[in-house]
């Protein structure tokens, strides 16, 4: 068992010491349907869950590009574990939508390792009441195997029984945060992939949420750091990209290793690695992955440079980054699909890591961050046609 002592090395270096074991235990992780507690503890010690927490609270305050490298590395070993790291770390920018007082006195009062689960689709309602809101709802896909202190859900605000409308023409939303004990989690996660992410539904029933425990998911942050200056959608999209890049790289790693010993059924005198057609297809897949990784790195770095300089992000730049997120998901799905095909009949069996990556990436790409509708919005901007304000938040 590898133990990582906090503060002895970079987060990426620390995580790289854990990923061989994570890969070896991938079958165990999937069968358990949760990431084991001992791995979560060592990932936390390595700093993986506090990558975006400001230094003033004891966090790593890492750059978005550097954090992407960590998430990709874990996802290359096991997608469910990578997704769990991504979700845990992403709550840093989400917590930041609350006030500085709440961050100082409640979220990070005892250190940087505060954790949360939640969902950001507005599946709940928040009824205005004195001092706050009465919240009800059921939210799907609240990932996380780790122990957590808080639960967060996005809500439609109701005033006198009707949605309160925003200036963009859509209902006003509030992100409500409650202590974990006030949420009921349901055993709903029986998925085709990412099976160990524990992405169950949770329910809040007639829970009073004080005003200071609410924020706006698309609103400004209560604490100023480069990461928190980014709009939430632009901050979190690249972390999803890191997961699918890692899965795709892992699939190509698997096929390359398999090819060294696999012999085609009707040509058993040669190994698959010796087949020039296989060599061509593998080389092309590697190049495609390198190209989409380069795109993701470029668009993410542009966002990060703007955040560091505290410069405004143009509408075009924001939409292009979202288009990159969608494109990376699509391309990585196709790369893993072709890797699965190259592996032949070996990939059909549950003992094959390639079939797990095939299921995992297909599940990851169902996330709203991968939605292809953003291409239409980007195209409309290019030809200077109107775009609804709600499409740009």
């Amino acid at each position: 068992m590898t133990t990582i002592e906090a503060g002895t090395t970079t987060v990426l270096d620390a995580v790289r010491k854990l990923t061989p074991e994570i890969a070896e235990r991938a079958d165990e992780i999937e069968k358990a349907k949760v990431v084991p507690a001992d791995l979560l503890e060592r990932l936390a010690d390595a700093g993986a869950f506090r990558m975006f927490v400001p230094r003033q609270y004891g966090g790593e305050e890492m750059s978005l590009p550097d954090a992407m490298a960590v998430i990709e590395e874990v996802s290359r070993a096991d997608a469910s574990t990578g997704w769990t790291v991504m979700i845990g770390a992403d709550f840093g920018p989400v917590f930041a939508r609350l006030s500085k007082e709440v961050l100082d006195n409640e979220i990070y009062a005892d250190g940087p390792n505060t954790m949360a689960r939640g969902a950001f689709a507005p599946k709940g309602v928040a009824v205005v009441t004195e001092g706050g809101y009465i919240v009800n709802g059921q939210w799907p896909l609240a990932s996380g195997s780790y122990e957590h202190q808080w639960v967060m859900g996005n809500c439609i605000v109701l005033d006198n029984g009707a949605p309160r409308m925003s200036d963009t023409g859509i209902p006003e939303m509030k992100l409500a945060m409650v202590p974990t004990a006030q949420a009921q989690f349901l055993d709903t996660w029986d998925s085709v992939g990412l099976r160990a992410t524990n992405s169950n539904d949770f329910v809040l029933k007639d829970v009073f949420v004080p005003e200071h425990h609410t924020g706006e998911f698309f609103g400004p942050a209560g604490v100023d750091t480069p990461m928190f200056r980014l709009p939430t959608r632009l901050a979190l999209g690249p972390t999803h990209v890191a997961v699918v890049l890692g899965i795709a790289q892992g699939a190509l790693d698997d096929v390359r290793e398999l090819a060294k010993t696999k012999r085609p059924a009707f040509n058993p005198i040669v190994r698959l690695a010796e087949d020039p057609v296989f060599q061509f297809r593998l080389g092309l897949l590697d190049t495609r992955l390198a190209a989409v990784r380069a795109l993701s790195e470029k668009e993410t770095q542009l966002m990060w440079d703007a955040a560091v300089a505290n410069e405004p992000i143009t509408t075009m730049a924001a939409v292009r980054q979202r288009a990159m997120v969608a494109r990376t998901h699509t391309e990585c799905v196709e790369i893993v699909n072709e890797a699965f095909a190259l592996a032949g009949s070996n990939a059909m069996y549950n003992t094959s890591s390639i079939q797990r990556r095939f299921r995992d990436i297909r599940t990851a790409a169902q996330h709203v961050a991968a939605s292809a509708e953003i291409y239409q919005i980007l195209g409309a901007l290019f030809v200077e046609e109107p775009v609804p304000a709600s499409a740009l938040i």
Side-chain angles (χ1 to χ4, degrees):
M1 180 178 292
T2 303
T3 300
I4 303 298
E5 295 184 7
T8 60
T9 186
T10 68
V11 176
L12 182 58
D13 288 341
V15 162
R16 280 178 172 156
K17 294 178 181 178
L18 297 176
T19 49
E21 181 182 347
I22 293 171
E24 289 173 5
R25 297 175 65 180
D27 286 340
E28 172 199 340
I29 292 168
E30 178 163 89
K31 289 174 183 175
K33 296 186 70 175
V34 293
V35 181
D38 67 294
L39 288 179
L40 291 171
E41 181 179 355
R42 283 181 283 156
L43 285 164
D45 289 344
F49 294 116
R50 59 177 183 268
M51 290 190 290
F52 299 133
V53 177
R55 292 190 189 95
Q56 70 188 79
Y57 300 121
E60 305 293 333
E61 200 173 315
M62 286 172 61
S63 74
L64 184 51
D66 286 347
M68 285 179 67
V70 172
I71 296 168
E72 180 176 347
E73 185 73 14
V74 181
S75 302
R76 184 177 181 178
D78 175 65
S80 286
T81 308
W83 185 272
T84 300
V85 167
M86 179 265 291
I87 290 291
D90 278 355
F91 270 98
V94 178
F95 279 141
R97 305 306 127 177
L98 303 171
S99 70
K100 184 178 186 301
E101 290 71 25
V102 171
L103 295 178
D104 289 351
N105 301 322
E106 298 186 68
I107 303 300
Y108 298 123
D110 296 323
N113 292 321
T114 301
M115 303 292 283
R117 290 173 64 183
F120 309 127
K123 298 294 186 178
V125 294
V127 177
V128 178
T129 191
E130 184 177 356
Y133 304 88
I134 301 297
V135 172
N136 284 276
Q138 179 170 333
W139 289 261
L141 306 173
S143 303
S145 304
Y146 42 74
E147 292 186 9
H148 56 288
Q149 295 76 40
W150 300 97
V151 175
M152 306 180 83
N154 214 10
C155 305
I156 301 295
V157 176
L158 299 185
D159 204 350
N160 296 320
R164 183 188 288 172
M165 302 305 290
S166 70
D167 294 339
T168 59
I170 63 174
E172 182 179 317
M173 290 177 276
K174 281 289 183 180
L175 184 64
M177 182 183 76
V178 302
T180 296
Q182 293 185 335
Q184 177 190 3
F185 279 84
L186 308 177
D187 187 11
T188 55
W189 187 241
D190 187 14
S191 62
V192 67
L194 296 176
R195 292 182 61 81
T197 58
N198 201 32
S199 301
N200 289 304
D201 290 19
F202 71 93
V203 174
L204 297 179
K205 185 175 182 181
D206 294 330
V207 175
F208 172 71
V209 181
E211 180 71 42
H212 68 279
H213 277 185
T214 69
E216 296 182 17
F217 183 70
F218 298 108
V223 171
D224 184 44
T225 71
M227 184 64 176
F228 294 174
R229 291 171 192 159
L230 289 171
T232 311
R233 192 196 298 267
L234 301 185
L236 304 189
T239 65
H240 286 262
V241 164
V243 172
V244 295
L245 287 172
I247 299 171
Q249 185 63 65
L252 295 188
D253 294 343
D254 291 346
V255 170
R256 188 173 65 246
E257 193 62 28
L258 175 67
K260 296 175 182 178
T261 57
K262 179 179 172 61
R263 297 181 183 273
F266 289 95
N267 191 13
I269 63 173
V270 299
R271 293 174 296 112
L272 182 60
E274 299 174 86
D275 182 350
V277 175
F278 170 83
Q279 295 167 355
F280 174 88
R281 293 176 67 186
L282 182 62
L284 179 58
L285 290 178
D286 181 78
T287 303
R288 287 170 58 184
L289 182 57
V292 77
R293 182 183 284 111
L295 173 65
S296 71
E297 290 173 351
K298 174 188 174 184
E299 294 296 333
T300 301
Q301 192 64 52
L302 287 172
M303 290 294 104
W304 186 251
D305 290 345
V308 169
N310 203 10
E311 295 176 348
I313 296 170
T314 67
T315 297
M316 178 64 79
V319 171
R320 290 193 74 162
Q321 194 242 48
R322 290 168 57 191
M324 173 277 291
V325 174
R327 181 59 201 158
T328 304
H329 279 76
T330 300
E331 181 72 341
C332 286
V333 167
E334 293 176 359
I335 288 168
V336 175
N337 184 60
E338 293 189 36
F340 184 92
L342 283 177
S345 60
N346 296 67
M348 299 186 301
Y349 294 93
N350 285 334
T351 54
S352 167
S353 57
I354 298 174
Q355 59 79 28
R356 185 179 61 253
R357 299 188 198 274
F358 179 84
R359 293 183 288 105
D360 286 340
I361 202 161
R362 183 64 270 179
T363 304
Q366 296 300 106
H367 195 277
V368 66
S371 174
E373 68 178 2
I374 193 63
Y375 298 139
Q376 184 269 324
I377 297 168
L378 179 59
L381 292 177
F382 277 138
V383 293
E384 301 178 343
E385 287 297 309
V387 174
S390 60
L392 301 176
I393 62 173

